[in-house]
Amino acid sequence: MQRRTLLMLAGLWPLGAAAGTPLPLVYPRHQALNDPQQGYVTALLQQALARSGQAYALRRSALRMVQARAMQEIATASGSVDVVWAMTSREREGLFQQLAAGRIDYFPRSVIEAQSELASHAQLPLALSNPQEIIVNL
């Protein structure tokens, strides 16, 4: 399965900013209220920015937005969002279709992905396995 992760930095930041003066950098406020991946992605972005040689003041956008809206904000250079993270994969989406059609029995998802991905594919007849039925041998 091919998986592509895209981290796009967009917008033009002031070139004449004084050294050490943090430049504002706005990321999209996620649509989910308590997305467990949000903290990870934000921490990763902070680490990347810390190594860039420029100080940034990272903050969430005023509005909640889905990925498509955030990408549109970047494409139109509206100024409401400066950075977007996104993951897409045709093969990954195809797995959901194959699972719903009964061509495959399962494909593994992380604990923090399973519920949100099930909800995002609510139109498909999918369900999570009962965690008590899963046996792990270490």
Side-chain angles (χ1 to χ4, degrees), residues 36-50:
Q37 293 180 350
Q38 181 74 43
Y40 170 77
V41 174
T42 304
L44 185 63
L45 177 58
Q46 287 173 331
Q47 286 183 9
L49 293 173

PDB file of all heavy atoms in Angstrom, residues 36-50:
ATOM      1  N   PRO A  36      -7.405  13.070  18.261  1.00  0.00           N
ATOM      2  CA  PRO A  36      -6.157  12.666  18.914  1.00  0.00           C
ATOM      3  C   PRO A  36      -4.925  12.871  18.046  1.00  0.00           C
ATOM      4  O   PRO A  36      -3.824  12.955  18.559  1.00  0.00           O
ATOM      5  CB  PRO A  36      -6.374  11.187  19.225  1.00  0.00           C
ATOM      6  CG  PRO A  36      -7.468  10.748  18.323  1.00  0.00           C
ATOM      7  CD  PRO A  36      -8.302  11.952  18.031  1.00  0.00           C
ATOM      8  N   GLN A  37      -5.098  12.955  16.737  1.00  0.00           N
ATOM      9  CA  GLN A  37      -3.953  13.173  15.853  1.00  0.00           C
ATOM     10  C   GLN A  37      -3.508  14.626  15.837  1.00  0.00           C
ATOM     11  O   GLN A  37      -2.385  14.935  15.465  1.00  0.00           O
ATOM     12  CB  GLN A  37      -4.284  12.720  14.439  1.00  0.00           C
ATOM     13  CG  GLN A  37      -4.475  11.230  14.332  1.00  0.00           C
ATOM     14  CD  GLN A  37      -4.810  10.793  12.923  1.00  0.00           C
ATOM     15  OE1 GLN A  37      -5.082  11.603  12.054  1.00  0.00           O
ATOM     16  NE2 GLN A  37      -4.809   9.503  12.699  1.00  0.00           N
ATOM     17  N   GLN A  38      -4.381  15.536  16.233  1.00  0.00           N
ATOM     18  CA  GLN A  38      -4.069  16.964  16.199  1.00  0.00           C
ATOM     19  C   GLN A  38      -2.812  17.286  17.009  1.00  0.00           C
ATOM     20  O   GLN A  38      -1.946  18.006  16.538  1.00  0.00           O
ATOM     21  CB  GLN A  38      -5.252  17.771  16.730  1.00  0.00           C
ATOM     22  CG  GLN A  38      -5.041  19.272  16.703  1.00  0.00           C
ATOM     23  CD  GLN A  38      -5.136  19.844  15.312  1.00  0.00           C
ATOM     24  OE1 GLN A  38      -6.015  19.475  14.578  1.00  0.00           O
ATOM     25  NE2 GLN A  38      -4.240  20.727  14.959  1.00  0.00           N
ATOM     26  N   GLY A  39      -2.722  16.757  18.214  1.00  0.00           N
ATOM     27  CA  GLY A  39      -1.562  17.035  19.056  1.00  0.00           C
ATOM     28  C   GLY A  39      -0.269  16.541  18.440  1.00  0.00           C
ATOM     29  O   GLY A  39       0.755  17.229  18.474  1.00  0.00           O
ATOM     30  N   TYR A  40      -0.317  15.350  17.855  1.00  0.00           N
ATOM     31  CA  TYR A  40       0.878  14.791  17.213  1.00  0.00           C
ATOM     32  C   TYR A  40       1.333  15.645  16.038  1.00  0.00           C
ATOM     33  O   TYR A  40       2.507  15.994  15.923  1.00  0.00           O
ATOM     34  CB  TYR A  40       0.608  13.357  16.749  1.00  0.00           C
ATOM     35  CG  TYR A  40       1.703  12.818  15.867  1.00  0.00           C
ATOM     36  CD1 TYR A  40       2.910  12.384  16.407  1.00  0.00           C
ATOM     37  CD2 TYR A  40       1.546  12.761  14.479  1.00  0.00           C
ATOM     38  CE1 TYR A  40       3.929  11.903  15.605  1.00  0.00           C
ATOM     39  CE2 TYR A  40       2.561  12.284  13.670  1.00  0.00           C
ATOM     40  CZ  TYR A  40       3.747  11.857  14.235  1.00  0.00           C
ATOM     41  OH  TYR A  40       4.749  11.402  13.430  1.00  0.00           O
ATOM     42  N   VAL A  41       0.393  16.000  15.173  1.00  0.00           N
ATOM     43  CA  VAL A  41       0.740  16.764  13.975  1.00  0.00           C
ATOM     44  C   VAL A  41       1.253  18.148  14.351  1.00  0.00           C
ATOM     45  O   VAL A  41       2.235  18.639  13.789  1.00  0.00           O
ATOM     46  CB  VAL A  41      -0.469  16.866  13.012  1.00  0.00           C
ATOM     47  CG1 VAL A  41      -0.170  17.769  11.846  1.00  0.00           C
ATOM     48  CG2 VAL A  41      -0.850  15.478  12.519  1.00  0.00           C
ATOM     49  N   THR A  42       0.631  18.770  15.331  1.00  0.00           N
ATOM     50  CA  THR A  42       1.072  20.095  15.773  1.00  0.00           C
ATOM     51  C   THR A  42       2.469  20.025  16.380  1.00  0.00           C
ATOM     52  O   THR A  42       3.312  20.875  16.101  1.00  0.00           O
ATOM     53  CB  THR A  42       0.060  20.684  16.776  1.00  0.00           C
ATOM     54  OG1 THR A  42      -1.228  20.718  16.169  1.00  0.00           O
ATOM     55  CG2 THR A  42       0.446  22.100  17.164  1.00  0.00           C
ATOM     56  N   ALA A  43       2.729  19.017  17.197  1.00  0.00           N
ATOM     57  CA  ALA A  43       4.058  18.854  17.790  1.00  0.00           C
ATOM     58  C   ALA A  43       5.108  18.618  16.708  1.00  0.00           C
ATOM     59  O   ALA A  43       6.220  19.163  16.772  1.00  0.00           O
ATOM     60  CB  ALA A  43       4.045  17.702  18.792  1.00  0.00           C
ATOM     61  N   LEU A  44       4.771  17.819  15.702  1.00  0.00           N
ATOM     62  CA  LEU A  44       5.684  17.567  14.594  1.00  0.00           C
ATOM     63  C   LEU A  44       5.988  18.858  13.829  1.00  0.00           C
ATOM     64  O   LEU A  44       7.135  19.149  13.498  1.00  0.00           O
ATOM     65  CB  LEU A  44       5.081  16.525  13.657  1.00  0.00           C
ATOM     66  CG  LEU A  44       5.955  16.047  12.505  1.00  0.00           C
ATOM     67  CD1 LEU A  44       7.202  15.347  13.008  1.00  0.00           C
ATOM     68  CD2 LEU A  44       5.150  15.106  11.608  1.00  0.00           C
ATOM     69  N   LEU A  45       4.956  19.647  13.583  1.00  0.00           N
ATOM     70  CA  LEU A  45       5.136  20.928  12.899  1.00  0.00           C
ATOM     71  C   LEU A  45       6.016  21.853  13.733  1.00  0.00           C
ATOM     72  O   LEU A  45       6.922  22.501  13.201  1.00  0.00           O
ATOM     73  CB  LEU A  45       3.774  21.579  12.630  1.00  0.00           C
ATOM     74  CG  LEU A  45       3.796  22.952  11.973  1.00  0.00           C
ATOM     75  CD1 LEU A  45       4.519  22.917  10.628  1.00  0.00           C
ATOM     76  CD2 LEU A  45       2.367  23.459  11.810  1.00  0.00           C
ATOM     77  N   GLN A  46       5.798  21.904  15.039  1.00  0.00           N
ATOM     78  CA  GLN A  46       6.620  22.751  15.910  1.00  0.00           C
ATOM     79  C   GLN A  46       8.080  22.330  15.866  1.00  0.00           C
ATOM     80  O   GLN A  46       8.979  23.183  15.824  1.00  0.00           O
ATOM     81  CB  GLN A  46       6.095  22.712  17.346  1.00  0.00           C
ATOM     82  CG  GLN A  46       4.805  23.474  17.512  1.00  0.00           C
ATOM     83  CD  GLN A  46       4.193  23.310  18.889  1.00  0.00           C
ATOM     84  OE1 GLN A  46       4.375  22.282  19.552  1.00  0.00           O
ATOM     85  NE2 GLN A  46       3.452  24.310  19.321  1.00  0.00           N
ATOM     86  N   GLN A  47       8.340  21.038  15.858  1.00  0.00           N
ATOM     87  CA  GLN A  47       9.722  20.554  15.783  1.00  0.00           C
ATOM     88  C   GLN A  47      10.368  20.939  14.457  1.00  0.00           C
ATOM     89  O   GLN A  47      11.521  21.352  14.414  1.00  0.00           O
ATOM     90  CB  GLN A  47       9.771  19.044  15.979  1.00  0.00           C
ATOM     91  CG  GLN A  47       9.542  18.614  17.401  1.00  0.00           C
ATOM     92  CD  GLN A  47       9.666  17.112  17.563  1.00  0.00           C
ATOM     93  OE1 GLN A  47      10.077  16.391  16.658  1.00  0.00           O
ATOM     94  NE2 GLN A  47       9.309  16.620  18.742  1.00  0.00           N
ATOM     95  N   ALA A  48       9.620  20.789  13.364  1.00  0.00           N
ATOM     96  CA  ALA A  48      10.158  21.149  12.048  1.00  0.00           C
ATOM     97  C   ALA A  48      10.464  22.643  11.983  1.00  0.00           C
ATOM     98  O   ALA A  48      11.517  23.053  11.482  1.00  0.00           O
ATOM     99  CB  ALA A  48       9.167  20.763  10.950  1.00  0.00           C
ATOM    100  N   LEU A  49       9.563  23.446  12.497  1.00  0.00           N
ATOM    101  CA  LEU A  49       9.768  24.896  12.477  1.00  0.00           C
ATOM    102  C   LEU A  49      10.927  25.314  13.369  1.00  0.00           C
ATOM    103  O   LEU A  49      11.662  26.247  13.042  1.00  0.00           O
ATOM    104  CB  LEU A  49       8.488  25.618  12.889  1.00  0.00           C
ATOM    105  CG  LEU A  49       7.320  25.501  11.914  1.00  0.00           C
ATOM    106  CD1 LEU A  49       6.060  26.109  12.512  1.00  0.00           C
ATOM    107  CD2 LEU A  49       7.650  26.145  10.578  1.00  0.00           C
ATOM    108  N   ALA A  50      11.107  24.626  14.486  1.00  0.00           N
ATOM    109  CA  ALA A  50      12.205  24.938  15.399  1.00  0.00           C
ATOM    110  C   ALA A  50      13.559  24.752  14.729  1.00  0.00           C
ATOM    111  O   ALA A  50      14.531  25.428  15.063  1.00  0.00           O
ATOM    112  CB  ALA A  50      12.105  24.073  16.650  1.00  0.00           C
TER     113      ALA A  50
END
